[in-house]
Amino acid sequence: MQEKLSSLTKHHKLNPPSHSFYPTLLIIFLCLPMEGLRFRAYQLVFAFFIPILIGFAAPAVSAADNGGVIDETAARCNVDLSTFIPLPYSDTSNMFCRSVWNTYVLQYSQSKDNVVTILLSAVYTTGWVGMAFSKDGKMLNSSAMVGWISKEGQPYIKQYYLHGLEQSEVIPDKGDLQLTNVPAFVALHGATIYLAFQLKFAAGLARQPILLAFGSRYPTKHHHLYQHDDKTTILFDFSAGSVSVSAAPDKIGQRKRTHGVLGIIAWGLFLPYGAIAARYFKHHDPLWFYLHVGIQFLGFILGLAGIVLGVSLYNKIHAHFPTHRGIGIFVLVLSVLQILAFFVRPDKDGKIRRYWNWYHHWLGRIALLFGNVNIVLGIRIGGAGNEWKAGYGFLLGTVLIAAIVLEVLSRMRGSSPEKSQKTNDAIARPAFQNEHA
């Protein structure tokens, strides 16, 4: 029993550790008394880079825990199904068997008249398990087969049409999948759920985008689904004639996650903190300048990498999200203009320096605003789970807390007339301003 519980814990949803202590540490560390430039530099390094270490720690732990999943789930291909699953699904003699994602195993066969028999299995505790067929690798407008065992032990398997991202737009008993006369079937055997169904296609099924997902909450009494806890997209080759030529899951899902991570780190972490360095640390000259330029340049590179990956995804799956793509292009143009402005920066005493400051200041603010708007759009479009929302909210919270604390400290330093004038001059300058000669 203990071994089974360990397996369930290992193979089901892995929740990242809580890091709610970070904002408190950040405030305490930034408020420590300054004892020279070197100590203050240590404070800034802590404030800027600890969130990155925290962000990368959880995926590393998750990857280590998931090692060996494929080997363990592959043994499911040899299970005798005849005792709890009816024919034709229990006859796996002509089926191919693949471990496709986490604990998901896909067994399938395809006949000459284009009938595909599918048996999907996964480790199960509560909630629902689903498999969707997509035209472009996206959830929207795809059709899914979803199964679950109710609290009362009643099995359910239904087709859903994924018309939108809201619960009401995931419509039960609708979809484009043509089921055969053989009834679909769902069964729970030990800690594993099995979804079995037959589909008829107009032509032979070959490379097909497949979405796999699960949710830990039971559907409503009207069979509406709650949001998934996790999902992935694979490109599966149903035309494989042997085990050796079957297609492994492609990198679409991983590319989407990487695209999102790069965008969040660039526009939700580096670039805001680079702006904070320029606004609140001008009294540490020239440290603020090198921090500002270095952090902004790194943020630009990460953001550019995210955009390049987004273009690659668009060319591969042709996802149609014009608003998200348009804002991304707009933000890229603003970022390039900021880089160019750095190289044509006039002297401090130049007559046009004031106008350059206004330009640099407001262009940076607009870029940050639209960059973060696009992050929210991306999270919504991708149907990301609560972990993504919490992670982005956490980063945004650290930025806001750091800005508030530093704003208060800067005003406290401006208590005397001389310091007050100096502080006001610094605050009046742009967040992205580079005034180091």
Side-chain angles (χ1 to χ4, degrees):
M1 181 64 179
Q2 183 177 358
E3 182 178 336
K4 181 182 292 186
L5 290 175
S6 175
S7 176
L8 290 177
T9 304
K10 181 178 181 180
H11 296 155
H12 216 294
K13 184 67 178 163
L14 293 173
N15 294 319
S18 172
H19 307 299
S20 58
F21 60 88
Y22 173 72
T24 303
L25 286 180
L26 180 62
I27 295 173
I28 295 173
F29 204 76
L30 287 175
C31 292
L32 289 175
M34 295 180 291
E35 298 179 2
L37 184 61
R38 179 177 298 179
F39 182 75
R40 193 60 182 174
Y42 292 154
Q43 287 180 301
L44 295 177
V45 170
F46 179 90
F48 292 140
F49 294 107
I50 287 298
I52 304 171
L53 298 177
I54 293 174
F56 283 109
V61 173
S62 178
D65 286 345
N66 278 308
V69 168
I70 292 178
D71 292 338
E72 295 182 19
T73 55
R76 207 179 302 150
C77 297
N78 300 319
V79 172
D80 181 11
L81 307 176
S82 60
T83 58
F84 59 95
I85 294 180
L87 291 171
Y89 305 118
S90 60
D91 182 9
T92 60
S93 57
N94 296 320
M95 286 188 177
F96 297 103
C97 185
R98 305 288 181 268
S99 179
V100 288
W101 175 58
N102 285 353
T103 65
Y104 281 57
V105 172
L106 180 61
Q107 294 171 265
Y108 71 97
S109 64
Q110 185 168 194
S111 66
K112 294 181 179 180
D113 56 351
N114 305 323
V115 172
V116 180
T117 301
I118 292 176
L119 183 66
L120 178 70
S121 59
V123 170
Y124 180 80
T125 52
T126 60
W128 56 267
V129 169
M131 174 180 178
F133 289 73
S134 172
K135 296 177 182 179
D136 56 7
K138 304 296 293 184
M139 168 185 159
L140 295 180
N141 299 316
S142 60
S143 299
M145 295 298 297
V146 178
W148 68 94
I149 307 296
S150 69
K151 296 178 181 179
E152 295 76 22
Q154 182 70 27
Y156 291 92
I157 183 167
K158 289 181 174 291
Q159 182 176 180
Y160 285 81
Y161 180 63
L162 311 181
H163 181 64
L165 301 176
E166 302 298 331
Q167 185 183 66
S168 60
E169 296 175 315
V170 180
I171 307 171
D173 299 316
K174 299 289 184 182
D176 297 329
L177 299 176
Q178 184 179 344
L179 295 166
T180 67
N181 293 328
V182 179
F185 187 82
V186 62
L188 184 63
H189 183 69
T192 303
I193 191 171
Y194 291 83
L195 279 64
F197 52 93
Q198 269 192 351
L199 302 175
K200 172 70 175 178
F201 293 91
L205 196 61
R207 292 172 66 83
Q208 170 66 44
I210 295 292
L211 283 75
L212 303 169
F214 68 85
S216 58
R217 300 181 64 183
Y218 291 106
T220 69
K221 63 179 180 180
H222 298 298
H223 303 146
H224 290 291
L225 301 180
Y226 289 102
Q227 187 179 31
H228 57 262
D229 290 357
D230 200 5
K231 68 178 180 66
T232 193
T233 302
I234 65 173
L235 191 63
F236 197 85
D237 190 355
F238 286 91
S239 64
S242 66
V243 173
S244 60
V245 298
S246 67
D250 83 328
K251 302 299 182 181
I252 292 178
Q254 182 59 43
R255 289 183 185 181
K256 292 177 183 177
R257 288 189 289 273
T258 304
H259 172 68
V261 168
L262 288 173
I264 289 175
I265 291 178
W267 292 99
L269 180 65
F270 276 100
L271 294 173
Y273 271 106
I276 286 175
R279 180 177 178 87
Y280 296 110
F281 294 96
K282 283 191 173 68
H283 53 288
H284 293 294
D285 192 46
L287 175 63
W288 76 266
F289 176 78
Y290 296 119
L291 278 174
H292 176 64
V293 173
I295 294 171
Q296 297 302 79
F297 180 74
L298 183 56
F300 172 76
I301 294 300
L302 291 173
L304 181 62
I307 290 175
V308 170
L309 193 56
V311 172
S312 173
L313 276 170
Y314 176 76
N315 292 334
K316 188 175 184 64
I317 65 178
H318 302 289
H320 184 65
F321 298 107
T323 303
H324 184 64
R325 188 168 67 254
I327 293 178
I329 294 172
F330 176 65
V331 168
L332 174 62
V333 171
L334 295 183
S335 301
V336 172
L337 290 175
Q338 288 289 74
I339 296 294
L340 295 177
F342 173 79
F343 293 103
V344 297
R345 184 176 79 261
D347 294 334
K348 291 182 180 180
D349 300 327
K351 294 182 179 180
I352 64 172
R353 182 58 182 254
R354 174 184 295 182
Y355 303 105
W356 184 91
N357 286 346
W358 290 344
Y359 161 86
H360 194 51
H361 172 71
W362 286 105
L363 213 65
R365 281 190 171 184
I366 293 171
L368 279 176
L369 172 63
F370 279 93
N372 282 273
V373 167
N374 221 23
I375 289 175
V376 175
L377 282 177
I379 291 175
R380 177 176 174 80
I381 289 171
N386 292 329
E387 291 78 11
W388 284 81
K389 298 175 184 177
Y392 173 62
F394 166 74
L395 288 182
L396 192 61
T398 64
V399 171
L400 293 176
I401 291 174
I404 292 172
V405 171
L406 292 170
E407 183 72 25
V408 171
L409 292 177
S410 71
R411 292 181 180 275
M412 291 172 61
R413 284 195 301 269
S415 56
S416 66
E418 181 180 355
K419 291 182 178 180
S420 178
Q421 181 63 38
K422 183 177 179 180
T423 302
N424 290 336
D425 290 341
I427 293 176
R429 291 167 185 156
F432 278 19
Q433 179 179 340
N434 302 325
E435 294 193 35
H436 182 67

